[in-house]
Amino acid sequence: MTEVRRRGRPGLAEPTAQKGAQALERGIAIMQYLAKSGGSSSVSDISVNLDLPLTTAFRLLKVLENADFVYQDNQLGWWHIGLGVFNVGTAYIHNRDVLSVAGPFMRRLMLMSGETVNVAIRNGNEAVLIGQQECKAMVRMCAPLGSRLPLHASGAGKALLYPIGEEALMDAILKTGLQRFTPTTLIDLPVLQKDLEGARLRGYCIDQEEHVIGLNCIASAIYDDVGSVVAAISISGPASRLTPDRFASQGELVHQTAMDISTALGLKTARA
């Protein structure tokens, strides 16, 4: 058998690749740490919390700075998430095509419901908020874009769950568990399954202070042209205004909006 010889200095390529992979992993860890820290941190905190030498943390931050992924505050010297991250995230959102299509429908729903409208997608075993249309009320419920929501205990999360099959649902639950957030969080699996089945039949789900006390949400699934759930649209408002007697009428409104968006995305067959 002919031996394949590598060009270049023996043993050089593999260690270099390993060092590059390690630097990439550390850079990703820094970005994730900044995200969890509210978008900013000092280099010393990054060094301590990620168990990195101070010089290494600073060197990696400078590399990220050159790509506009981070920038340094001139007054405090803290490091902040930069515009480059937004550009990457925007490209991802545009590739999904959901938000650009949903925009006009979100505004219509906001005006008709009087509540803040959100669009979320599933990322692993969480729902991630990618779009929002704030309502005009003095008291309104808003969350920062990029906020992560539990699948089993949020309106958008449950809207991403109820269309999927039993096997996929069990897989998601086994990976995340049924964490309690409030006294009304559904932490019993049969109760959650019954709730999701009801949501599937009527076309919308209800989060009645299950994630945050004082916050109610109503959400519905958005489908693509082949009938796969790709996002969820929801309205959220204070429990004192978005009351149970409004759930049915507002739920139908949210469901119809979700179907309008799905149709705009190319869905031909009506879905729940």
Side-chain angles (χ1 to χ4, degrees), residues 36-259:
K36 292 179 180 178
S37 302
S40 61
S41 180
S42 65
V43 65
S44 58
D45 282 347
I46 293 172
S47 172
V48 170
N49 284 281
L50 297 182
D51 196 23
L52 293 174
L54 190 64
T55 54
T56 299
F58 184 77
R59 176 172 54 80
L60 290 170
L61 284 165
K62 295 300 290 185
V63 172
L64 292 169
E65 183 182 36
N66 289 336
D68 290 329
F69 282 0
V70 299
Y71 68 93
Q72 189 175 26
D73 184 285
N74 291 328
Q75 292 182 331
L76 298 177
W78 278 39
W79 291 87
H80 307 266
I81 290 178
L83 186 61
V85 176
F86 176 79
N87 291 335
V88 172
T90 300
Y92 172 74
I93 292 172
H94 284 168
N95 285 340
R96 301 293 294 195
D97 199 37
V98 174
L99 199 57
S100 57
V101 172
F105 299 101
M106 292 172 66
R107 177 167 176 78
R108 186 187 70 184
L109 179 58
M110 181 274 293
L111 293 172
M112 295 180 71
S113 69
E115 303 295 351
T116 294
V117 177
N118 303 295
V119 169
I121 59 172
R122 184 174 175 180
N123 183 17
N125 292 301
E126 295 177 302
V128 180
L129 183 65
I130 64 168
Q132 186 174 85
Q133 179 72 59
E134 291 188 33
C135 68
K136 306 301 182 182
M138 289 293 292
V139 179
R140 54 185 181 268
M141 310 302 288
C142 302
L145 294 182
S147 295
R148 296 178 178 272
L149 306 169
L151 292 177
H152 74 286
S154 64
K158 292 199 292 183
L160 293 166
L161 279 184
Y162 74 69
I164 67 177
E166 190 71 18
E167 185 176 342
L169 171 62
M170 293 303 299
D171 181 65
I173 297 304
L174 287 173
K175 288 179 179 177
T176 61
L178 296 176
Q179 180 182 348
R180 181 183 292 280
F181 295 93
T182 74
T184 56
T185 302
L186 305 182
I187 60 170
D188 183 74
L189 181 57
V191 174
L192 176 62
Q193 289 175 309
K194 183 177 180 180
D195 181 77
L196 294 175
E197 176 62 15
R200 187 186 67 79
L201 291 174
R202 65 176 174 261
Y204 63 88
C205 58
I206 298 167
D207 161 16
Q208 191 168 1
E209 300 185 75
E210 295 166 30
H211 185 219
V212 177
I213 293 176
L215 174 67
N216 285 342
C217 300
I218 302 173
S220 189
I222 296 172
Y223 302 91
D224 63 12
D225 57 339
V226 295
S228 299
V229 59
V230 291
I233 187 166
S234 68
I235 59 172
S236 59
S240 59
R241 187 172 66 232
L242 189 52
T243 50
D245 61 296
R246 299 181 64 206
F247 286 170
S249 60
Q250 296 298 300
E252 288 300 324
L253 186 60
V254 174
H255 179 225
Q256 186 57 57
T257 303
M259 289 300 94

Side-chain angles (χ1 to χ4, degrees), residues 3-15:
E3 181 182 355
V4 178
R5 297 180 180 271
R6 295 179 179 175
R7 294 184 179 181
R9 292 169 58 188
L12 179 63
E14 188 172 347

